[in-house]
Amino acid sequence: LNFTADCNAVLKALQPIFQEQGMTETVYNWEDHGYLATYIKKNGSFANLRIHPHGLVLVDLQSYNDHTKGREEVDQLLNKVEERMKELFHGNIKRVKRLPAILRGGVIDRYWPTADGRLVEYDIDEVVYDEDSPFQNIKILHSKQFGNILILSGDVNLAESDLAYTRAIMGSGKEDYTGKEVLILGGGDGGILYEIVKLKPKMVTMVEISFDEYMRKTCGDVLDNLKGECYQVLIEDCIPVLKRYAKEGRMFDYVINDLTAVPISTSPEEDSTWEFLRLILDLSMKVLKQDGKYFTQGNCINLTDALTLYEEQLSRLYCPVEFSKETVCVPSYMELY
């Protein structure tokens, strides 16, 4: 509302709507904090009516409706509430907003957060895979728009629609991988490996603790075998591998870090996320040729503090580095990255 609410008047105006539904009413009144009225139906459905003195009126409805008729009944009740409020306050309503129903407890979970904490409802219609590995929960959910989506411990990692992500983390088509030595850290969806192999490198080594065979549009058949003509896949923790390569003097033209956003390594050096990231960066620099390039993901463009902190880590490495960054739209993330 545009003004301080007469809480009692709002309550009296809306009470008949709920009473007509045969709902039992309980009212709580706080002198300076308005009213809370709860309405309970015999079938277990209930409504909360919260009236704040400063003019905010909230109506929350919860019901178990898995049929069209039940959803129509909810819509009709909300329509009556909205119409009654408009009759009561005429032009003094500042804003009316009706949110779509959140479906809880369904077989398919369609709600996943973005990196900056916004809740997105995906058009997911099938659970393709859902298992706990020794390291994390792995889900593959099918979206009508984005194809199969890989979700690791609640974090949306990649969908079959997200070639833009893979191209960006490879240098956005500006790099020549012909005859080059490439090391991929992570990349369990197989997308980076699949795309680089097409570019005729000398050898690609991918180090991943687990990989996924359900993202066929992303990885093709490249993960059907752990070794190919110009690639090998090591099912290992990348930290011991990086240390071994550094000790052996093994060097790469490119290192591509596609590890999950939240560290899952069990190495003792992992005291914090930033120390883990610095460890990976330092070890990667030790196996990178002097003129080599290191590619990695940053973060959601809205998380400016996290991006700044990451850039600060680059000045704390054992060797000086130069860096650049690029912003891309990753379809299934529903945000710029």
Side-chain angles (χ1 to χ4, degrees), residues 7-17 84-85 88-89:
C7 298
N8 188 56
V10 174
L11 179 64
K12 295 298 182 186
L14 297 182
Q15 273 177 328
I17 296 174
R84 188 69 188 96
M85 288 292 287
L88 184 64
F89 293 106

Side-chain angles (χ1 to χ4, degrees), residues 223-291:
L223 293 179
D224 290 354
N225 297 292
L226 297 183
K227 285 190 177 182
E229 185 178 338
C230 64
Y231 73 89
Q232 61 176 341
V233 179
L234 307 180
I235 310 300
E236 298 184 49
D237 184 338
C238 71
I239 290 178
V241 173
L242 284 167
K243 289 180 175 178
R244 185 168 74 242
Y245 284 168
K247 187 176 181 180
E248 294 170 354
R250 180 88 180 269
M251 303 296 283
F252 296 87
D253 297 287
Y254 293 94
V255 176
I256 301 176
N257 178 351
D258 193 34
L259 298 168
T260 56
V262 178
I264 55 175
S265 169
T266 55
S267 301
E269 294 94 340
E270 185 199 333
D271 296 327
S272 74
T273 298
W274 293 114
E275 287 186 21
F276 173 85
L277 291 172
R278 260 199 321 276
L279 175 65
I280 295 294
L281 279 163
D282 267 331
L283 290 172
S284 296
M285 296 305 110
K286 291 177 180 177
V287 300
L288 190 63
K289 292 180 181 178
Q290 186 71 23
D291 60 347

